[in-house]
Amino acid sequence: MNDFPAPETLGTLALARETYGKLLAAFHEKDGQTSQLKADLEAANELVDESATALAQAQTDLKAKAAETDQAKRDLSTAKQTIQSLETQVGSLETTVSDLKAAAKSAEEEAAEICASVGVDPLQIKPDDTPEQPDLMAQYRAIEDPGQRTAFFRKHKDKLLSRR
């Protein structure tokens, strides 16, 4: 406004018109700037709204992840307790197995004593360490020569037919 003359110095209509034109041009310039500022303010408000929505969604997601983490921690704690319980049970079962093995040995000894007391020699019964009978059907199927296959079938006919 410093570019404009004071109203008391406006003595002529031409000078008043010139000043009015300058004022009007300054008004339009400021009005354009105001419109731009309003548009910028609206865009900034939209960005704030979008940011607030994104922040709210991020907070919701964070709460959900925190709940999942808490549940996973509880599950882990439960699993650790279960593992400890199972390890205790395994230890107890191992002790029981070793006690039963010891009792089984003493039962064998007791049986030998009972047999000896009645005058009978105890039999040594132990698991058979010989391998199981070979699978005759698998052997039969593995033979490719027809003559050998027939001979093998005739030799083991009863066992092959009884296995079916």
Side-chain angles (χ1 to χ4, degrees):
M1 290 214 146
N2 295 340
D3 295 343
F4 304 112
E8 50 279 345
T9 60
L10 298 175
T12 66
L13 187 57
L15 187 58
R17 278 189 182 175
E18 182 182 330
T19 303
Y20 175 74
K22 288 180 183 180
L23 283 171
L24 192 59
F27 174 76
H28 288 301
E29 181 181 332
K30 296 295 181 192
D31 188 44
Q33 290 175 351
T34 303
S35 297
Q36 181 61 42
L37 288 173
K38 285 181 183 178
D40 291 346
L41 179 62
E42 286 178 19
N45 284 334
E46 288 178 15
L47 285 174
V48 167
D49 291 343
E50 289 174 9
S51 297
T53 303
L55 178 62
Q57 182 62 42
Q59 288 174 335
T60 302
D61 292 346
L62 181 61
K63 286 179 184 176
K65 294 298 181 190
E68 288 176 17
T69 301
D70 290 343
Q71 182 61 43
K73 286 178 181 177
R74 287 190 296 273
D75 292 346
L76 179 61
S77 176
T78 302
K80 285 180 179 179
Q81 290 173 353
T82 303
I83 288 170
Q84 288 176 346
S85 172
L86 290 174
E87 286 174 345
T88 303
Q89 288 178 4
V90 166
S92 174
L93 290 174
E94 287 174 344
T95 303
T96 303
V97 166
S98 67
D99 291 346
L100 289 174
K101 285 181 179 179
K105 287 180 184 177
S106 64
E108 289 174 3
E109 292 169 357
E110 187 177 333
E113 289 174 7
I114 292 172
C115 288
S117 70
V118 293
V120 177
D121 291 331
L123 295 176
Q124 294 295 326
I125 301 174
K126 294 194 177 198
D128 189 14
D129 290 339
T130 59
E132 291 184 20
Q133 294 275 339
D135 186 10
L136 294 176
M137 188 56 76
Q139 289 179 2
Y140 175 73
R141 289 182 182 142
I143 300 172
E144 294 182 13
D145 183 270
Q148 289 178 351
R149 194 171 191 174
T150 302
F152 185 86
F153 179 78
R154 285 185 184 150
K155 182 177 179 182
H156 301 287
K157 179 179 180 181
D158 293 335
K159 289 181 182 178
L160 287 170
L161 294 176
S162 68
R163 291 181 59 99
R164 291 185 183 183

